[in-house]
Amino acid sequence: MDNNNNKREKIIIFILGAVLIIVVLSIIAIFSSAIMRLLGFEYESVGGFILYFIIASIVSYPMNLVAGAFPKALLNLDRITRKMAVCMYVLLDTITTFFGFYIVDYFMPSVSANTISLIVLALVFALFGISDVKKKES
């Protein structure tokens, strides 16, 4: 009986975590949509845009992990300076986020984004992650 309750708690925690992530991504999507609309981004409905944003975030996430890990690893191995690591991170993260959003844009006809709006969005997201690029403390 105790094992059953433990499994139920884990399932509830997983569902709550997933809902929380979707809510946070939705809020970010709504703010991003206002900026992106100024840059020529078009969508049929807010719900469609939120779905686009969530799917694109999921698609670009694995690529962003690699893009973020590479400069951090080089920095920790003392192969590059922190400044170089930050530049490399911004460049790689922008490229991978752009391609993640571009791929989803290609397959979602209800959403239309031009290249400039995707680059600006990807760059803004990359700039938010700069603080993650730091040398591991020994």
Side-chain angles (χ1 to χ4, degrees), residues 93-124:
D93 193 70
T94 300
I95 291 169
T96 56
T97 302
F98 168 80
F99 278 116
F101 278 76
Y102 183 81
I103 290 167
V104 176
D105 178 53
Y106 180 80
F107 289 106
M108 243 179 124
S110 63
V111 177
S112 173
N114 61 29
T115 304
I116 293 174
S117 64
L118 291 178
I119 290 172
V120 169
L121 178 70
L123 180 61
V124 168

